[in-house]
Amino acid sequence: KTTGSATWRRAILVENAHFMTIEAQNAFLKLLEEPPQDTLIVLTAINSQALLPTISSRAQKIVIKPVPTASVTKHFQDHPQTEVTKAFHMSGGQIGLMTVLLDPEQNQELLRYIEMAKQFLQMPSFERLAWADQFIKQKDNLEQLLWALLAVSKAALYQAGQKDNAKMVKR
């Protein structure tokens, strides 16, 4: 039992619900079908189609859009424009993540993974395979590295496209 008389006395946050297996989503469905009255359940997902239709139909969808580029540029006017642009594309426009990327004092671990991802992407194919084989054994850090690889790849692809560099876009 929870104490108090507020409408919502407990919250459950399931981040990255799109990573749940079908079995996990089916098990979670029971909670969504009969949720406790005083509990707020929040699921985050890249898109609702990554979830079972039965889960999507029982949830209210709230789309969170990235902050417009002009607002970001104005907010981070004390930083070099090239760095702001890189951080914008790495973060997918998520302002909190941009703040971390532009302020190295905030999250050294995140920046370490981004540097690892950059180094990984610059390696020759064979070295990349050998390095990946070693890193996969460290399952605790794998999610962070995969996120960093995705973020760095997106930013690099965008920059190559902006410069009309077909060779880099292909790479």
Side-chain angles (χ1 to χ4, degrees), residues 96-131:
L97 183 53
M98 280 191 68
T99 302
V100 171
L101 292 171
L102 291 169
D103 183 4
E105 297 298 315
Q106 287 212 14
N107 194 336
Q108 294 293 325
E109 185 178 5
L110 176 65
L111 295 175
R112 185 172 62 87
Y113 283 109
I114 288 171
E115 283 306 312
M116 286 170 64
K118 287 178 182 178
Q119 291 171 5
F120 177 79
L121 292 171
Q122 292 173 355
M123 292 176 185
S125 297
F126 180 76
E127 286 180 39
R128 223 184 279 170
L129 287 171
W131 188 84

mmCIF file of all heavy atoms in Angstrom, residues 96-131:
data_model
loop_
_atom_site.group_PDB
_atom_site.id
_atom_site.type_symbol
_atom_site.label_atom_id
_atom_site.label_comp_id
_atom_site.label_asym_id
_atom_site.label_seq_id
_atom_site.Cartn_x
_atom_site.Cartn_y
_atom_site.Cartn_z
ATOM 1 N N GLY A 96 18.335 17.925 -23.437
ATOM 2 C CA GLY A 96 19.102 17.495 -22.268
ATOM 3 C C GLY A 96 20.385 16.794 -22.668
ATOM 4 O O GLY A 96 21.454 17.044 -22.101
ATOM 5 N N LEU A 97 20.292 15.933 -23.661
ATOM 6 C CA LEU A 97 21.470 15.227 -24.151
ATOM 7 C C LEU A 97 22.440 16.201 -24.810
ATOM 8 O O LEU A 97 23.652 16.085 -24.661
ATOM 9 C CB LEU A 97 21.057 14.128 -25.117
ATOM 10 C CG LEU A 97 22.155 13.239 -25.675
ATOM 11 C CD1 LEU A 97 23.011 12.637 -24.565
ATOM 12 C CD2 LEU A 97 21.555 12.147 -26.534
ATOM 13 N N MET A 98 21.907 17.190 -25.518
ATOM 14 C CA MET A 98 22.776 18.207 -26.127
ATOM 15 C C MET A 98 23.572 18.948 -25.060
ATOM 16 O O MET A 98 24.750 19.221 -25.236
ATOM 17 C CB MET A 98 21.951 19.217 -26.930
ATOM 18 C CG MET A 98 21.560 18.733 -28.278
ATOM 19 S SD MET A 98 20.874 20.051 -29.261
ATOM 20 C CE MET A 98 22.307 21.068 -29.505
ATOM 21 N N THR A 99 22.908 19.272 -23.964
ATOM 22 C CA THR A 99 23.583 19.985 -22.872
ATOM 23 C C THR A 99 24.755 19.165 -22.358
ATOM 24 O O THR A 99 25.837 19.688 -22.132
ATOM 25 C CB THR A 99 22.582 20.280 -21.733
ATOM 26 O OG1 THR A 99 21.503 21.047 -22.271
ATOM 27 C CG2 THR A 99 23.236 21.033 -20.603
ATOM 28 N N VAL A 100 24.543 17.863 -22.198
ATOM 29 C CA VAL A 100 25.615 16.980 -21.734
ATOM 30 C C VAL A 100 26.743 16.923 -22.761
ATOM 31 O O VAL A 100 27.919 16.995 -22.412
ATOM 32 C CB VAL A 100 25.069 15.565 -21.442
ATOM 33 C CG1 VAL A 100 26.190 14.583 -21.181
ATOM 34 C CG2 VAL A 100 24.113 15.605 -20.257
ATOM 35 N N LEU A 101 26.388 16.798 -24.034
ATOM 36 C CA LEU A 101 27.404 16.702 -25.081
ATOM 37 C C LEU A 101 28.233 17.981 -25.198
ATOM 38 O O LEU A 101 29.425 17.926 -25.510
ATOM 39 C CB LEU A 101 26.757 16.386 -26.431
ATOM 40 C CG LEU A 101 26.139 14.995 -26.556
ATOM 41 C CD1 LEU A 101 25.340 14.889 -27.841
ATOM 42 C CD2 LEU A 101 27.204 13.922 -26.489
ATOM 43 N N LEU A 102 27.612 19.121 -24.934
ATOM 44 C CA LEU A 102 28.323 20.394 -25.068
ATOM 45 C C LEU A 102 29.044 20.815 -23.789
ATOM 46 O O LEU A 102 29.844 21.740 -23.809
ATOM 47 C CB LEU A 102 27.361 21.497 -25.514
ATOM 48 C CG LEU A 102 26.852 21.344 -26.939
ATOM 49 C CD1 LEU A 102 25.701 22.304 -27.205
ATOM 50 C CD2 LEU A 102 27.974 21.542 -27.937
ATOM 51 N N ASP A 103 28.763 20.135 -22.687
ATOM 52 C CA ASP A 103 29.431 20.451 -21.424
ATOM 53 C C ASP A 103 30.149 19.200 -20.935
ATOM 54 O O ASP A 103 29.569 18.372 -20.237
ATOM 55 C CB ASP A 103 28.417 20.918 -20.381
ATOM 56 C CG ASP A 103 29.082 21.330 -19.077
ATOM 57 O OD1 ASP A 103 30.326 21.332 -18.991
ATOM 58 O OD2 ASP A 103 28.344 21.649 -18.125
ATOM 59 N N PRO A 104 31.433 19.045 -21.306
ATOM 60 C CA PRO A 104 32.165 17.823 -20.978
ATOM 61 C C PRO A 104 32.235 17.500 -19.483
ATOM 62 O O PRO A 104 32.451 16.369 -19.112
ATOM 63 C CB PRO A 104 33.566 18.072 -21.529
ATOM 64 C CG PRO A 104 33.506 19.314 -22.318
ATOM 65 C CD PRO A 104 32.218 20.004 -22.016
ATOM 66 N N GLU A 105 32.014 18.480 -18.636
ATOM 67 C CA GLU A 105 32.066 18.235 -17.192
ATOM 68 C C GLU A 105 30.861 17.420 -16.714
ATOM 69 O O GLU A 105 30.914 16.798 -15.673
ATOM 70 C CB GLU A 105 32.105 19.568 -16.430
ATOM 71 C CG GLU A 105 33.339 20.399 -16.734
ATOM 72 C CD GLU A 105 34.623 19.706 -16.322
ATOM 73 O OE1 GLU A 105 34.675 19.151 -15.213
ATOM 74 O OE2 GLU A 105 35.571 19.708 -17.124
ATOM 75 N N GLN A 106 29.776 17.418 -17.492
ATOM 76 C CA GLN A 106 28.531 16.799 -17.031
ATOM 77 C C GLN A 106 28.531 15.282 -17.069
ATOM 78 O O GLN A 106 27.971 14.650 -16.194
ATOM 79 C CB GLN A 106 27.347 17.336 -17.847
ATOM 80 C CG GLN A 106 27.023 18.742 -17.477
ATOM 81 C CD GLN A 106 25.548 19.017 -17.616
ATOM 82 O OE1 GLN A 106 24.739 18.122 -17.747
ATOM 83 N NE2 GLN A 106 25.197 20.275 -17.571
ATOM 84 N N ASN A 107 29.100 14.692 -18.107
ATOM 85 C CA ASN A 107 29.017 13.241 -18.195
ATOM 86 C C ASN A 107 30.242 12.679 -18.920
ATOM 87 O O ASN A 107 30.206 12.458 -20.123
ATOM 88 C CB ASN A 107 27.737 12.809 -18.899
ATOM 89 C CG ASN A 107 27.457 11.337 -18.722
ATOM 90 O OD1 ASN A 107 28.366 10.542 -18.479
ATOM 91 N ND2 ASN A 107 26.209 10.961 -18.837
ATOM 92 N N GLN A 108 31.279 12.447 -18.170
ATOM 93 C CA GLN A 108 32.515 11.925 -18.737
ATOM 94 C C GLN A 108 32.322 10.545 -19.367
ATOM 95 O O GLN A 108 32.905 10.243 -20.394
ATOM 96 C CB GLN A 108 33.601 11.852 -17.658
ATOM 97 C CG GLN A 108 34.041 13.198 -17.138
ATOM 98 C CD GLN A 108 34.763 14.003 -18.207
ATOM 99 O OE1 GLN A 108 35.475 13.465 -19.036
ATOM 100 N NE2 GLN A 108 34.570 15.305 -18.184
ATOM 101 N N GLU A 109 31.496 9.708 -18.756
ATOM 102 C CA GLU A 109 31.299 8.350 -19.265
ATOM 103 C C GLU A 109 30.653 8.369 -20.646
ATOM 104 O O GLU A 109 31.082 7.661 -21.554
ATOM 105 C CB GLU A 109 30.447 7.534 -18.297
ATOM 106 C CG GLU A 109 30.316 6.093 -18.727
ATOM 107 C CD GLU A 109 29.513 5.255 -17.740
ATOM 108 O OE1 GLU A 109 28.981 5.785 -16.763
ATOM 109 O OE2 GLU A 109 29.428 4.045 -17.982
ATOM 110 N N LEU A 110 29.641 9.195 -20.821
ATOM 111 C CA LEU A 110 28.983 9.304 -22.124
ATOM 112 C C LEU A 110 29.971 9.751 -23.192
ATOM 113 O O LEU A 110 30.031 9.181 -24.283
ATOM 114 C CB LEU A 110 27.815 10.286 -22.046
ATOM 115 C CG LEU A 110 27.093 10.591 -23.341
ATOM 116 C CD1 LEU A 110 26.403 9.348 -23.871
ATOM 117 C CD2 LEU A 110 26.097 11.703 -23.140
ATOM 118 N N LEU A 111 30.770 10.746 -22.867
ATOM 119 C CA LEU A 111 31.751 11.251 -23.826
ATOM 120 C C LEU A 111 32.816 10.196 -24.131
ATOM 121 O O LEU A 111 33.313 10.116 -25.258
ATOM 122 C CB LEU A 111 32.391 12.534 -23.296
ATOM 123 C CG LEU A 111 31.406 13.703 -23.147
ATOM 124 C CD1 LEU A 111 32.100 14.903 -22.512
ATOM 125 C CD2 LEU A 111 30.781 14.085 -24.463
ATOM 126 N N ARG A 112 33.148 9.370 -23.152
ATOM 127 C CA ARG A 112 34.113 8.288 -23.373
ATOM 128 C C ARG A 112 33.565 7.295 -24.397
ATOM 129 O O ARG A 112 34.277 6.863 -25.312
ATOM 130 C CB ARG A 112 34.412 7.585 -22.052
ATOM 131 C CG ARG A 112 35.485 6.514 -22.140
ATOM 132 C CD ARG A 112 35.869 5.988 -20.766
ATOM 133 N NE ARG A 112 34.780 5.356 -20.065
ATOM 134 C CZ ARG A 112 34.451 4.060 -20.192
ATOM 135 N NH1 ARG A 112 35.133 3.285 -21.001
ATOM 136 N NH2 ARG A 112 33.445 3.552 -19.516
ATOM 137 N N TYR A 113 32.294 6.955 -24.292
ATOM 138 C CA TYR A 113 31.686 6.033 -25.259
ATOM 139 C C TYR A 113 31.620 6.661 -26.654
ATOM 140 O O TYR A 113 31.801 5.975 -27.656
ATOM 141 C CB TYR A 113 30.289 5.598 -24.812
ATOM 142 C CG TYR A 113 30.338 4.553 -23.731
ATOM 143 C CD1 TYR A 113 29.980 4.857 -22.430
ATOM 144 C CD2 TYR A 113 30.775 3.260 -24.012
ATOM 145 C CE1 TYR A 113 30.033 3.901 -21.424
ATOM 146 C CE2 TYR A 113 30.841 2.299 -23.021
ATOM 147 C CZ TYR A 113 30.475 2.625 -21.739
ATOM 148 O OH TYR A 113 30.540 1.681 -20.753
ATOM 149 N N ILE A 114 31.365 7.947 -26.716
ATOM 150 C CA ILE A 114 31.326 8.624 -28.018
ATOM 151 C C ILE A 114 32.708 8.593 -28.657
ATOM 152 O O ILE A 114 32.845 8.328 -29.855
ATOM 153 C CB ILE A 114 30.790 10.060 -27.869
ATOM 154 C CG1 ILE A 114 29.286 9.996 -27.569
ATOM 155 C CG2 ILE A 114 31.073 10.896 -29.110
ATOM 156 C CD1 ILE A 114 28.659 11.297 -27.203
ATOM 157 N N GLU A 115 33.750 8.822 -27.862
ATOM 158 C CA GLU A 115 35.116 8.757 -28.403
ATOM 159 C C GLU A 115 35.452 7.334 -28.860
ATOM 160 O O GLU A 115 36.077 7.141 -29.902
ATOM 161 C CB GLU A 115 36.140 9.249 -27.370
ATOM 162 C CG GLU A 115 36.190 10.744 -27.240
ATOM 163 C CD GLU A 115 36.424 11.450 -28.571
ATOM 164 O OE1 GLU A 115 37.338 11.054 -29.329
ATOM 165 O OE2 GLU A 115 35.677 12.395 -28.866
ATOM 166 N N MET A 116 35.017 6.345 -28.087
ATOM 167 C CA MET A 116 35.248 4.949 -28.479
ATOM 168 C C MET A 116 34.547 4.650 -29.803
ATOM 169 O O MET A 116 35.094 3.978 -30.680
ATOM 170 C CB MET A 116 34.739 3.997 -27.390
ATOM 171 C CG MET A 116 35.622 3.966 -26.164
ATOM 172 S SD MET A 116 34.880 3.061 -24.782
ATOM 173 C CE MET A 116 34.765 1.422 -25.438
ATOM 174 N N ALA A 117 33.319 5.161 -29.944
ATOM 175 C CA ALA A 117 32.562 4.933 -31.180
ATOM 176 C C ALA A 117 33.269 5.583 -32.370
ATOM 177 O O ALA A 117 33.364 4.980 -33.449
ATOM 178 C CB ALA A 117 31.147 5.484 -31.035
ATOM 179 N N LYS A 118 33.785 6.786 -32.181
ATOM 180 C CA LYS A 118 34.506 7.469 -33.262
ATOM 181 C C LYS A 118 35.743 6.667 -33.673
ATOM 182 O O LYS A 118 36.006 6.474 -34.862
ATOM 183 C CB LYS A 118 34.921 8.879 -32.829
ATOM 184 C CG LYS A 118 33.772 9.848 -32.746
ATOM 185 C CD LYS A 118 34.273 11.202 -32.250
ATOM 186 C CE LYS A 118 33.160 12.203 -32.098
ATOM 187 N NZ LYS A 118 33.634 13.492 -31.565
ATOM 188 N N GLN A 119 36.494 6.198 -32.679
ATOM 189 C CA GLN A 119 37.689 5.402 -32.970
ATOM 190 C C GLN A 119 37.311 4.108 -33.689
ATOM 191 O O GLN A 119 37.954 3.710 -34.655
ATOM 192 C CB GLN A 119 38.446 5.084 -31.679
ATOM 193 C CG GLN A 119 39.103 6.288 -31.052
ATOM 194 C CD GLN A 119 39.652 5.968 -29.663
ATOM 195 O OE1 GLN A 119 39.623 4.833 -29.220
ATOM 196 N NE2 GLN A 119 40.142 6.993 -28.990
ATOM 197 N N PHE A 120 36.257 3.468 -33.227
ATOM 198 C CA PHE A 120 35.792 2.217 -33.818
ATOM 199 C C PHE A 120 35.441 2.407 -35.291
ATOM 200 O O PHE A 120 35.823 1.615 -36.142
ATOM 201 C CB PHE A 120 34.577 1.704 -33.042
ATOM 202 C CG PHE A 120 33.967 0.460 -33.604
ATOM 203 C CD1 PHE A 120 34.532 -0.777 -33.359
ATOM 204 C CD2 PHE A 120 32.808 0.516 -34.365
ATOM 205 C CE1 PHE A 120 33.968 -1.942 -33.858
ATOM 206 C CE2 PHE A 120 32.237 -0.634 -34.875
ATOM 207 C CZ PHE A 120 32.820 -1.863 -34.621
ATOM 208 N N LEU A 121 34.729 3.481 -35.585
ATOM 209 C CA LEU A 121 34.296 3.725 -36.958
ATOM 210 C C LEU A 121 35.453 4.085 -37.892
ATOM 211 O O LEU A 121 35.334 3.945 -39.105
ATOM 212 C CB LEU A 121 33.220 4.810 -36.988
ATOM 213 C CG LEU A 121 31.895 4.391 -36.354
ATOM 214 C CD1 LEU A 121 30.960 5.580 -36.226
ATOM 215 C CD2 LEU A 121 31.244 3.269 -37.134
ATOM 216 N N GLN A 122 36.573 4.510 -37.338
ATOM 217 C CA GLN A 122 37.727 4.860 -38.165
ATOM 218 C C GLN A 122 38.673 3.681 -38.381
ATOM 219 O O GLN A 122 39.576 3.755 -39.196
ATOM 220 C CB GLN A 122 38.493 6.030 -37.530
ATOM 221 C CG GLN A 122 37.700 7.318 -37.575
ATOM 222 C CD GLN A 122 38.374 8.441 -36.810
ATOM 223 O OE1 GLN A 122 39.387 8.254 -36.164
ATOM 224 N NE2 GLN A 122 37.782 9.617 -36.887
ATOM 225 N N MET A 123 38.453 2.578 -37.675
ATOM 226 C CA MET A 123 39.320 1.410 -37.802
ATOM 227 C C MET A 123 39.076 0.690 -39.122
ATOM 228 O O MET A 123 37.967 0.716 -39.644
ATOM 229 C CB MET A 123 39.036 0.405 -36.677
ATOM 230 C CG MET A 123 39.410 0.829 -35.316
ATOM 231 S SD MET A 123 38.878 -0.475 -34.158
ATOM 232 C CE MET A 123 39.285 0.300 -32.618
ATOM 233 N N PRO A 124 40.102 -0.009 -39.623
ATOM 234 C CA PRO A 124 39.877 -0.895 -40.766
ATOM 235 C C PRO A 124 38.931 -2.033 -40.359
ATOM 236 O O PRO A 124 38.813 -2.359 -39.176
ATOM 237 C CB PRO A 124 41.271 -1.450 -41.082
ATOM 238 C CG PRO A 124 42.224 -0.534 -40.394
ATOM 239 C CD PRO A 124 41.505 0.066 -39.232
ATOM 240 N N SER A 125 38.283 -2.643 -41.322
ATOM 241 C CA SER A 125 37.249 -3.656 -41.055
ATOM 242 C C SER A 125 37.721 -4.784 -40.143
ATOM 243 O O SER A 125 37.024 -5.169 -39.212
ATOM 244 C CB SER A 125 36.746 -4.252 -42.359
ATOM 245 O OG SER A 125 36.134 -3.262 -43.125
ATOM 246 N N PHE A 126 38.911 -5.335 -40.402
ATOM 247 C CA PHE A 126 39.387 -6.460 -39.597
ATOM 248 C C PHE A 126 39.580 -6.045 -38.141
ATOM 249 O O PHE A 126 39.177 -6.765 -37.222
ATOM 250 C CB PHE A 126 40.689 -7.037 -40.164
ATOM 251 C CG PHE A 126 41.194 -8.196 -39.352
ATOM 252 C CD1 PHE A 126 40.596 -9.442 -39.453
ATOM 253 C CD2 PHE A 126 42.247 -8.025 -38.451
ATOM 254 C CE1 PHE A 126 41.031 -10.508 -38.680
ATOM 255 C CE2 PHE A 126 42.689 -9.085 -37.673
ATOM 256 C CZ PHE A 126 42.086 -10.334 -37.793
ATOM 257 N N GLU A 127 40.206 -4.884 -37.923
ATOM 258 C CA GLU A 127 40.404 -4.404 -36.547
ATOM 259 C C GLU A 127 39.063 -4.170 -35.867
ATOM 260 O O GLU A 127 38.904 -4.428 -34.673
ATOM 261 C CB GLU A 127 41.225 -3.113 -36.550
ATOM 262 C CG GLU A 127 42.686 -3.310 -36.848
ATOM 263 C CD GLU A 127 43.437 -1.989 -36.827
ATOM 264 O OE1 GLU A 127 43.145 -1.139 -35.954
ATOM 265 O OE2 GLU A 127 44.304 -1.810 -37.692
ATOM 266 N N ARG A 128 38.102 -3.652 -36.624
ATOM 267 C CA ARG A 128 36.768 -3.409 -36.086
ATOM 268 C C ARG A 128 36.134 -4.711 -35.601
ATOM 269 O O ARG A 128 35.549 -4.766 -34.525
ATOM 270 C CB ARG A 128 35.897 -2.803 -37.190
ATOM 271 C CG ARG A 128 35.065 -1.664 -36.698
ATOM 272 C CD ARG A 128 34.162 -1.151 -37.766
ATOM 273 N NE ARG A 128 34.895 -0.263 -38.647
ATOM 274 C CZ ARG A 128 34.427 0.201 -39.777
ATOM 275 N NH1 ARG A 128 33.243 -0.153 -40.200
ATOM 276 N NH2 ARG A 128 35.140 1.013 -40.503
ATOM 277 N N LEU A 129 36.262 -5.763 -36.390
ATOM 278 C CA LEU A 129 35.691 -7.061 -36.001
ATOM 279 C C LEU A 129 36.357 -7.618 -34.744
ATOM 280 O O LEU A 129 35.690 -8.122 -33.849
ATOM 281 C CB LEU A 129 35.820 -8.058 -37.153
ATOM 282 C CG LEU A 129 34.892 -7.834 -38.334
ATOM 283 C CD1 LEU A 129 35.283 -8.742 -39.491
ATOM 284 C CD2 LEU A 129 33.447 -8.060 -37.937
ATOM 285 N N ALA A 130 37.685 -7.520 -34.680
ATOM 286 C CA ALA A 130 38.413 -8.017 -33.511
ATOM 287 C C ALA A 130 38.033 -7.222 -32.262
ATOM 288 O O ALA A 130 37.814 -7.791 -31.188
ATOM 289 C CB ALA A 130 39.917 -7.937 -33.756
ATOM 290 N N TRP A 131 37.932 -5.907 -32.402
ATOM 291 C CA TRP A 131 37.585 -5.041 -31.271
ATOM 292 C C TRP A 131 36.155 -5.332 -30.817
ATOM 293 O O TRP A 131 35.880 -5.429 -29.620
ATOM 294 C CB TRP A 131 37.747 -3.582 -31.692
ATOM 295 C CG TRP A 131 37.602 -2.610 -30.581
ATOM 296 C CD1 TRP A 131 38.573 -2.216 -29.708
ATOM 297 C CD2 TRP A 131 36.422 -1.888 -30.220
ATOM 298 N NE1 TRP A 131 38.065 -1.297 -28.834
ATOM 299 C CE2 TRP A 131 36.745 -1.083 -29.129
ATOM 300 C CE3 TRP A 131 35.132 -1.854 -30.718
ATOM 301 C CZ2 TRP A 131 35.825 -0.249 -28.531
ATOM 302 C CZ3 TRP A 131 34.206 -1.020 -30.115
ATOM 303 C CH2 TRP A 131 34.564 -0.233 -29.036
#
